[in-house]
Amino acid sequence: MMSNLIRLHETENGSFDYDPQIPCIISSGEGLMFIDDFRKFMECSLELIYEKIKENGEFGLLVDTRYMEVIGHNDEVGMGNDWKVKAYEAGLRFVAFILPDNIFTLMNIEEYSLQSGDKGTLIIEHFDDMESARNWLKEVI
């Protein structure tokens, strides 16, 4: 089902894959990512989003947080809000989160998603598995 993924970028704690079937970028993180690394990871995601939107037009982002741990810094919400504005300006509209078991990471995602309900912001949905997230993105893109 997902064998045609193209690896776009990889770090010690995360990766970005391109799924041309949807089309979307799949962002996956694993373990604890320190704030500087997280900031670089977020900046890289924006560059990839800009590139793929130019190639595809409508486009989605699937964020797999099942294996991520909380960053533990207060500025990740502010950084996430800045990222959200830039991603929206680039043309991104739909983001699917696969939710983690880690309660602290889950709380961060829920807080971030609640702030995305205003007009002119990303449409964010939460899922328990990859298949449901991919199916939703296929429907809305």
Side-chain angles (χ1 to χ4, degrees):
M1 174 172 85
M2 292 184 16
S3 61
N4 64 338
L5 295 182
I6 301 164
R7 177 65 40 104
L8 300 174
H9 184 79
E10 187 171 7
T11 67
E12 184 179 334
N13 294 89
S15 63
F16 297 103
D17 295 307
Y18 174 59
D19 184 343
Q21 289 182 328
I22 294 178
C24 76
I25 289 176
I26 299 173
S27 170
S28 301
E30 186 171 328
L32 181 65
M33 201 178 292
F34 293 103
I35 196 68
D36 289 339
D37 294 332
F38 182 69
R39 188 173 284 115
K40 289 176 190 171
F41 193 74
M42 297 289 282
E43 289 170 5
C44 179
S45 71
L46 281 175
E47 291 172 17
L48 295 171
I49 288 167
Y50 290 138
E51 175 187 315
K52 291 300 178 187
I53 284 178
K54 284 181 185 176
E55 291 175 14
N56 296 288
E58 282 203 286
F59 194 78
L61 178 65
L62 194 159
V63 183
D64 186 352
T65 65
R66 291 177 288 181
Y67 310 107
M68 289 180 72
E69 294 178 29
V70 118
I71 295 157
H73 294 280
N74 293 332
D75 61 341
E76 75 240 18
V77 172
M79 183 174 40
N81 288 334
D82 183 51
W83 180 93
K84 182 173 43 178
V85 170
K86 290 177 181 176
Y88 187 86
E89 288 172 353
L92 184 68
R93 296 296 179 265
F94 303 101
V95 179
F97 275 98
I98 302 175
L99 297 176
D101 289 333
N102 181 303
I103 189 69
F104 298 109
T105 304
L106 180 61
M107 288 169 38
N108 281 355
I109 293 167
E110 288 175 346
E111 180 180 344
Y112 177 81
S113 298
L114 283 173
Q115 297 171 4
S116 298
D118 301 330
K119 185 179 180 191
T121 58
L122 302 173
I123 298 168
I124 297 175
E125 292 291 332
H126 299 159
F127 300 92
D128 293 324
D129 59 78
M130 182 70 73
E131 183 178 359
S132 300
R134 290 179 84 246
N135 287 340
W136 176 74
L137 284 172
K138 284 180 186 178
E139 288 175 16
V140 295
I141 295 177

